[in-house]
């Protein structure tokens, strides 16, 4: 087992639970009874109820209901462990902004004691199907509001950063990030509030996503008018605007980049070319730059297509919230959001599609505006494979299907193949490590029950008996995997099972024995 996160400081026990509770970073590497009765003999991995960080009766009811929807005992055990993982282990603190009624929720990614904008938005999305309007502090709605408020605070503090420290109100000490201690970043940030400052366009889109998810399920428009949501949107729009700056002015002078980043590292994907500027970007595509990918690896070409897709579709969704706020600026802001959403879509369709000799019209993963492009996909979301889940495009679109055929073949430099798991991986863990998350995305974007069943079987067999979804697993060696405690991937697995319950209930009747 390789635990990439050992770069970061270790965790204390979660604050919401007693100090006598086991540290889940350890607990999740050990086997616990009762084991599932099937051939995979999967460990039970939920902490005892007193040690869970948040309890939702709605989620418990879903877990009970699924016992009859899922026939296979191993698949059920994996679902029952994975789906509640964020609530069980990652709600590190929940409270209020100092002296106000503004809810705050600090959600850690799992084995690292920090809150990522992307992960926390996705961790909440696992519970979207049980989200309904409620003012109770014990509700999923309250968790969502707390995440949105805290993300807004983070964005107002350091809008170019990706991962953050506990709010001061929690009394939790900031985590030390050894890897980041020598980073040189503009704009500067404070390590008391920021854990890592990699500028990723999808982090901004994540705030939009968690906002539109909350609104679509609750219709709670008044929440968005109360705290800092509008200011956070204004900040996001400024960053988006600034990050459309190309490298050179029309007269050839080098423009000042709003963001630069260098790190002392031996990994090329952990720093940026050209003393922190990244590789040059041509003017005129209408796309927004991203210095890093959703894997937290640097982009090769900064016009990163999947994040532009996500940002475009989420801007459209959140412009509808803005349009209803009835303030002196909301109508103009809503129009600006809609226009940027449309212009990004047009830019992606004009510049993000390339003609591949074997697959025809496909989306590039990244472009630079000069004609260079990366033809690949990475497991992390947003990805090209996930484009339909980003609400960017229908899965039946020909360009998507062409892209998908490439991504799920040996023509994608990061498609891993082997007896344990054949799935998309990426440079973050490197060749031979396939990511279960990519198999889950493949299921969520497929209507083919054979493909879905085959992927389910592979994910089920990839846990090393531990009964949790790992970050990646060696395609040739099931005992060689990364990250024992990665809450997002676990929640996504649960979300996918619930999606199958609705779309293809017969698949959940399959026996994997
Ligand atoms: C299941 O796995 C546990 C932990 O490795 C082991 O103790 C137990 O004997 C296994 N049970 C079966 C039936 O293989
Ligand atoms: C909201 O969801 C909870 C948990 O699923 C459920 O108990 C409650 O009845 C729901 N309330 C409404 C108004 O639907
Ligand atoms: C909360 O506000 C009080 C009173 O203004 C102040 O003394 C305290 O330091 C604040 N705490 C935090 C965590 O900001
Ligand atoms: C923040 O940076 C200072 C100065 O480099 C360092 O001494 C301190 O340990 C850092 N704090 C954290 C939480 O990383
Ligand atoms: C980039 O292109 C746009 C539109 O084509 C133009 O308005 C703008 O001045 C150009 N900026 C630079 C820095 O060349
Ligand atoms: C070149 O263009 C930039 C941006 O428009 C401007 O700031 C700079 O003064 C120009 N340089 C010269 C030498 O004209
Ligand atoms: C804004 O006005 C619309 C139409 O009257 C109303 O539905 C909506 O609730 C109002 N928004 C807020 C935040 O009060
Ligand atoms: C899968 O089914 C959904 C719902 O019927 C449909 O919208 C979508 O286009 C289908 N995708 C493919 C690839 O057939
Ligand atoms: C499989 O991975 C484990 C854990 O990293 C390692 O100890 C073992 O040697 C590997 N087995 C083979 C056959 O490479």
């Amino acid at each position: 087992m390789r635990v990439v996160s050992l770069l970061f400081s270790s965790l204390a026990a979660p604050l919401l639970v007693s100090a006598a509770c086991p540290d889940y970073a350890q607990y999740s590497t050990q086997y616990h009874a009762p084991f599932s009765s099937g051939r995979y003999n999967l460990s039970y991995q939920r902490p005892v109820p007193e040690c869970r960080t948040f309890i939702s009766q709605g989620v418990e009811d879903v877990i009970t209901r699924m016992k009859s929807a899922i026939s296979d005992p191993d698949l059920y055990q994996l679902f029952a462990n994975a789906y509640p993982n964020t609530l069980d282990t990652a709600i590190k603190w929940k409270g209020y902004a100092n002296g106000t009624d503004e809810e705050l929720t600090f959600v850690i990614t799992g084995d690292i004691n920090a809150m990522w904008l992307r992960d926390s938005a996705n961790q909440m999305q696992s519970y979207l199907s049980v989200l309904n309007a409620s003012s109770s502090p014990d509700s999923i709605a309250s968790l969502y509001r707390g995440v949105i408020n805290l993300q807004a605070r983070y964005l107002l503090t350091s809008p170019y950063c990706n991962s953050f420290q506990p709010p001061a109100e929690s009394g939790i000490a900031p985590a030390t990030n050894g890897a980041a201690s020598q980073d040189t970043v503009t704009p500067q940030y404070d390590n008391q509030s920021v854990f890592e400052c990699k500028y990723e366009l999808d982090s901004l889109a994540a705030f939009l996503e968690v906002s539109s998810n909350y609104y679509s399920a609750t219709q709670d428009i008044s929440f968005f008018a109360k705290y800092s949501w509008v200011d956070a949107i204004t900040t996001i729009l400024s960053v988006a605007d600034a990050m459309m700056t190309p490298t050179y002015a029309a007269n050839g002078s080098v423009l000042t980049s709003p963001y630069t980043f260098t790190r002392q590292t031996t990994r090329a994907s952990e720093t940026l070319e050209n003393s922190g500027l990244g590789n040059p970007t041509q003017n005129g595509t209408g796309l927004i730059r991203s210095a890093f990918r959703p894997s937290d690896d640097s982009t090769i070409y900064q016009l990163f297509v999947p994040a532009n897709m996500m940002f475009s579709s989420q801007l459209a969704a959140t412009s509808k919230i803005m349009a209803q706020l009835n303030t002196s600026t909301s109508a103009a802001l809503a129009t600006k959001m809609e226009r940027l959403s449309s212009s990004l879509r047009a830019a992606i369709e004009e510049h993000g599609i390339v003609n591949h000799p074997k697959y025809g019209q496909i989306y590039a993963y990244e472009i630079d505006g000069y004609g260079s492009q990366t033809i690949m996909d990475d497991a992390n979301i947003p990805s090209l494979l996930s484009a339909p889940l980003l609400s960017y495009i229908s899965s039946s679109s020909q360009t998507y299907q062409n892209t998908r055929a490439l991504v799920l073949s040996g023509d994608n430099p990061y498609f891993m193949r082997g007896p344990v798991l054949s799935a998309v991986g990426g440079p973050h863990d490197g060749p031979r490590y396939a990511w279960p998350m990519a198999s889950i995305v493949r299921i969520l974007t497929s209507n083919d029950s054979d493909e879905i069943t085959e992927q389910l079987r592979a994910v089920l067999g990839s846990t090393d008996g531990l009964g949790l979804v790992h970050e990646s697993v060696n395609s040739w060696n099931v005992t060689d995997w990364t990250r024992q405690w990665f809450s997002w991937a676990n929640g996504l697995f649960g979300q996918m099972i619930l999606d199958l319950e609705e779309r293809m209930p017969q698949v959940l009747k399959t026996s994997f024995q």
Side-chain angles (χ1 to χ4, degrees):
M1 165 185 81
R2 294 181 324 139
V3 183
V4 171
S5 60
L6 284 181
L7 285 171
F8 303 115
S9 70
S10 66
L11 281 183
L15 265 209
L16 286 180
V17 301
S18 119
C21 288
D23 176 357
Y24 200 74
Q26 244 75 61
Y27 192 82
S28 53
T29 63
Q30 297 154 352
Y31 297 91
H32 309 279
F35 293 89
S36 59
S37 61
R39 61 185 286 248
Y40 293 99
N41 185 32
L42 298 183
S43 170
Y44 182 72
Q45 288 293 8
R46 298 192 71 184
V48 296
E50 309 79 78
C51 291
R52 295 176 188 163
T53 56
F54 189 86
I55 293 184
S56 156
Q57 193 51 48
V59 167
E60 298 305 324
D61 292 347
V62 170
I63 295 169
T64 305
R65 180 184 83 222
M66 294 309 285
K67 204 167 174 83
S68 48
I70 301 174
S71 300
D72 188 88
D74 296 325
L75 187 64
Y76 180 70
Q77 181 95 326
L78 182 54
F79 172 78
N81 287 337
Y83 180 56
N85 190 261
T86 287
L87 299 188
D88 283 354
T89 69
I91 310 299
K92 183 93 175 177
W93 180 81
K94 187 173 179 300
Y96 295 90
N98 201 4
T100 74
D101 67 351
E102 180 185 359
E103 291 155 292
L104 297 177
T105 315
F106 181 62
V107 184
I108 60 172
T109 173
D111 49 8
I112 305 164
N113 194 19
M115 176 158 158
W116 264 253
L117 296 174
R118 166 183 49 258
D119 287 48
S120 58
N122 284 298
Q123 284 167 280
M124 285 299 106
Q125 198 180 60
S126 340
Y127 308 115
L128 185 55
S129 68
V130 291
L131 168 62
N132 59 23
S134 170
S135 55
S136 159
D138 301 326
S139 63
I140 296 291
S142 173
L143 280 186
Y144 261 87
R145 287 189 295 270
V147 166
I148 294 168
N149 288 332
L150 186 54
Q151 287 202 356
R153 177 190 285 188
Y154 290 150
L155 286 163
L156 290 171
T157 311
S158 293
Y160 288 89
C161 300
N162 60 321
S163 171
F164 293 86
Q165 301 283 10
E169 291 89 339
S170 69
I172 304 175
T176 302
N177 185 350
S181 61
Q182 309 273 323
D183 291 354
T184 304
V185 184
T186 50
Q188 286 187 338
Y189 64 86
D190 180 352
N191 70 1
Q192 296 300 296
S193 53
V194 169
F195 181 76
E196 183 172 67
C197 196
K198 289 175 170 172
Y199 161 66
E200 300 167 359
L201 177 60
D202 81 281
S203 292
L204 306 180
F207 176 73
L208 305 180
E209 179 181 75
V210 68
S211 299
S212 66
N213 285 349
Y214 176 77
Y215 178 65
S216 66
T218 64
Q219 304 295 306
D220 179 9
I221 193 68
S222 64
F223 164 71
F224 293 94
K226 265 192 206 155
Y227 308 107
S228 309
W229 190 79
V230 174
D231 292 341
I233 296 284
T234 308
T235 300
I236 286 174
L237 292 173
S238 314
V239 172
D241 197 45
M243 291 310 297
M244 289 168 108
T245 312
T247 305
Y248 303 100
N251 64 13
S253 71
V254 178
L255 294 167
T256 301
S257 178
Y259 174 82
T260 63
F261 177 103
T262 56
R263 169 170 294 180
Q264 298 198 5
T265 173
T266 55
R267 290 168 61 94
S269 55
E270 290 289 320
T271 188
L272 300 181
E273 286 277 18
N274 295 317
S275 307
L277 283 176
N279 285 314
T281 304
Q282 177 65 298
N283 189 39
T285 62
L287 294 169
I288 303 167
R289 285 158 53 192
S290 192
F292 288 87
R293 298 172 176 171
S295 56
D296 298 335
D297 300 324
S298 52
T299 51
I300 295 173
Y301 301 118
Q302 297 187 56
L303 304 175
F304 174 54
V305 172
N308 276 275
M309 288 174 166
M310 181 180 180
F311 196 64
S312 170
S313 59
Q314 291 303 333
L315 272 176
T318 43
S319 72
K320 299 192 172 64
I321 301 175
M322 186 65 84
Q324 290 187 63
L325 293 185
N326 313 328
T327 66
S328 58
T329 55
S330 54
L333 277 169
T335 304
K336 194 169 172 186
M337 292 162 82
E338 270 170 46
R339 288 207 179 122
L340 182 55
S341 168
S342 313
S343 71
L344 285 174
R345 175 174 286 277
I348 292 164
E349 296 301 308
E350 186 180 347
H351 300 281
I353 296 177
V354 300
N355 196 16
H356 188 282
K358 185 161 158 193
Y359 295 90
Q361 300 277 101
I362 59 160
Y363 290 106
Y365 190 62
E366 298 165 348
I367 66 164
D368 67 354
Y370 292 100
S372 291
Q373 59 213 218
T374 40
I375 302 300
M376 61 168 274
D377 204 18
D378 180 285
N380 284 268
I381 307 171
S383 57
L384 293 175
L385 192 63
S386 66
L389 299 180
L390 307 174
S391 306
Y392 179 77
I393 198 165
S394 158
S395 60
S396 50
S397 124
Q398 191 59 52
T399 311
Y400 173 72
Q401 283 298 328
N402 294 348
T403 309
R404 180 184 181 90
L406 181 148
V407 164
L408 300 176
S409 79
D411 291 319
N412 170 8
Y414 289 100
F415 186 65
M416 305 307 152
R417 287 157 293 161
V420 174
L421 183 69
S422 294
V424 181
H428 193 73
D429 291 335
R432 90 168 61 80
Y433 292 94
W435 289 50
M437 174 181 280
S439 287
I440 296 169
V441 169
R442 182 170 182 177
I443 292 171
L444 281 163
T445 51
S446 172
N447 292 343
D448 175 345
S449 60
D450 291 340
E451 182 183 28
I452 291 172
T453 306
E454 180 204 3
Q455 294 301 306
L456 265 182
R457 183 189 305 280
V459 174
L460 187 58
S462 76
T463 81
D464 198 13
L466 287 163
L468 288 170
V469 180
H470 294 141
E471 178 190 54
S472 74
V473 57
N474 184 330
S475 284
W476 296 85
N477 179 354
V478 73
T479 65
D480 180 15
W481 44 263
T482 64
R483 293 191 72 182
Q484 72 277 29
W485 178 17
F486 181 25
S487 291
W488 171 18
N490 282 286
L492 187 67
F493 180 85
Q495 193 179 326
M496 174 271 287
I497 293 286
L498 296 178
D499 177 63
L500 289 179
E501 184 196 22
E502 257 183 29
R503 264 188 330 126
M504 296 195 146
Q506 77 287 1
V507 168
L508 299 183
K509 298 295 178 195
T510 308
S511 166
F512 294 99
Q513 301 308 308

